Amino acid sequence: MQRTFPLERVRNIGIIAHIDAGKTTTTERILYYTGKTYRIGSVDDGTTVTDWMAQERERGITIVSAAVTAEWKNYQFNIIDTPGHIDFTAEVQRSLRVLDGGVVVFDAVQGVEPQSETVWRQADRYFVPRICFINKMDRLGASFERSIQSIVDRLGANPIAMQLPIGAEANFTGVVDLLEMKAILWDDPDGREYSVTEIPEDLKDAAEFARMQMVEKTAELDDDLIEKFLEGHVISNEEIKTSLRKAVLENRATLVFCGSSLKNKGVQPILDAVIDYLPSPLDIPAVKATSLDGEEIIQLPTSDSEYLSALVFKIVSDPYVGRLAYFRVYSGKMIAGDSVLNPTKYKKERVGRLIRMYADRREDVEFIPSGDIGAILGLKFTFTGDTLCNPGKPLVLETISFPEPVISIAIEPKTTADQDKMSEALRRLSEEDPTFRVHTDESTGQTIISGMGELHLDVLVDRMMREFNVKANVGRPRVSYRETIQNPVMGLSYKYVKQSGGHGQYGHVVINMEPLERGGGVVFEQKITGGTVPKEYFKAIENGVNEASQSGILAGYPVTDVKVTLVDGSYHEVDSSEMAFKMASVFAFKEAFQKGKPTLLEPIMKVEVVIPEEYLGDILGQVNARRGEIQGTDMRPGNSQAVRALVPLAEMFGYATELRSATQGRGVFSMEFHHYAPVSETVAHRILNY
């Protein structure tokens, strides 16, 4: 089994951006120019390859990340087109975890937008090298310089312009390549053919100045080059390229290109830049795994001859072929027909069909080599974030963490016939999406589904009804509050003793419970000395703590930001069991929580409202009336103002309608989760007595 492409000729890249910046349009042009499609797909017409779901085509947005394989100049590109809407940010997060590089797309009119910031920070977290593409240079109000400045101001990045636009707005015709000092012009309406010519006379001075800036910025990143630059020596293009590639791989610089994907201009240089500047799987550090006991750290270089290590980053319930698991192979080979181990579940899985994905089309393959992305059919026990490895060499890769859901709705089947169908549909959808949660409310018996926003839940309910043919009634959205404590509780003792003839139950724990900083979650620690509680019961006690934290005391919301420390206890030689200690820790947790002055926390959203300037006063009043805290205002192109604020999620329901009404339909807003904060007594009283 031979590789089609050597590792140095493989690129795993993501197309990431704010909603409506042109990610999918850019991806469609890439597929067209690389020969994967024979006509250009359109978002407006619903003919795109990567947006293949009915919900995506109807709404004109990307909902699920789509993996596509393409070839360019004898290089293999594995491209993932990610969503731009904040409700689907988990899709971006799990894609970034397995990518080596990213192309960040910006709207040339708007520059850096809220979701651009979010995905940029996510890419920082996974240390993903990036290049930037300033799209929509043909639009009224487009500005290459202003967009670059917004990258500096809002992202704190170090952008280096590699091109200069030729013409502006409707007269945008091409770019100046500042490395080669040539003009690239697109005359062909399809954009397949382009001409490389001399720089127009009226742009020569500007191009010379821009190149000098590019060379100076490059030299500043390299000790050898800065010496040559200061001494006035000529720096060759090859030296510049080598230095820039190194800086991009180390995340010390971000190269900036421009174009208009819709008008088929500027996409091919981006493909060349991916080859020249973004990493191959060989350029990224060797992935680290741990042994099953977590004590040994194993370095796994990207090589087909190493032990198998692969990370599943996405599960899809395909209506035609069943359950698809997308994965990235970090080392070794994934071979069709082999048995592999899922060490997180300690289950063996058989690799059924191996598939290389072309969006919603697929091609069966015999194997997926290291550094590559593919999909498996037929896995039964494996979910997002699980590792697959050789049964003889168990190891665990770092999993993927996801944000907690912030909004819930009640859902019930219309008929008893729909009950089973609904349960199956919700099970499969929650397998696909780690930010989608399903639980039953103990007090009402209702099925509650939770997600990242109204659109997120709307899409999932729509999929349930269409794909699984479920008829259901849906309740109004509800906020997912959290509960925590304000005061520490030390030395709380609880004995769980049951004696009813024969074998009894005995578990005794003494715990401390302390509040943590916001975002701390639930932490369990044991500080047992002298063996008062045997080691084999620690896991059962921890499980009890985690179980008890699922529902709080005040209103049954999950508990967060508390630390529970097991400090003492006792056991019985005969009657003690894991179950007894688990129950003791559940009751101890609840008792301590009650004594710790419990309080409610509500999700606070980072909101950005963009409106024409004349509506600024009205909008500030609206935000204040919704308990919002104004963070600042920024000028935007076209006499617009952006209002930045922190607003409780509970106050944002129905805001879209109010904003449209107040601004005659000209205002838009975006929001994303920021943090949890304690609610005031008045609000708490309203929630608890609702």
Side-chain angles (χ1 to χ4, degrees), residues 143-155:
S143 169
F144 186 59
E145 293 77 19
R146 193 176 58 238
S147 297
I148 289 178
Q149 191 57 46
S150 74
I151 293 172
V152 176
D153 295 341
R154 298 193 68 172
L155 303 176

Side-chain angles (χ1 to χ4, degrees), residues 178-181 211 214-215 234-244 277:
L178 296 177
L179 190 69
E180 301 295 339
M181 290 301 278
R211 177 181 166 90
M214 183 266 287
V215 173
V234 175
I235 300 172
S236 70
N237 284 358
E238 206 51 52
E239 287 175 307
I240 293 170
K241 271 178 104 167
T242 304
S243 183
L244 284 174
Y277 303 110

Side-chain angles (χ1 to χ4, degrees), residues 114 127 153 164 180 351 359 369 419 466 473 511 553 556 582 675:
F127 207 74
D153 295 341
L164 205 60
E180 301 295 339
V351 180
Q419 180 68 58
R466 287 197 207 190
N473 296 315
I511 64 168
I553 300 298
K582 181 183 172 183
H675 68 283

Side-chain angles (χ1 to χ4, degrees), residues 16 54 135 192 217 228 235 346 393 440 447 617 666 674:
I16 50 181
N135 190 25
R192 272 194 181 277
K217 279 192 150 188
K228 284 184 81 169
I235 300 172
Y346 215 81
K393 185 69 176 177
T440 304
T447 300
R666 294 162 70 191
H674 192 263

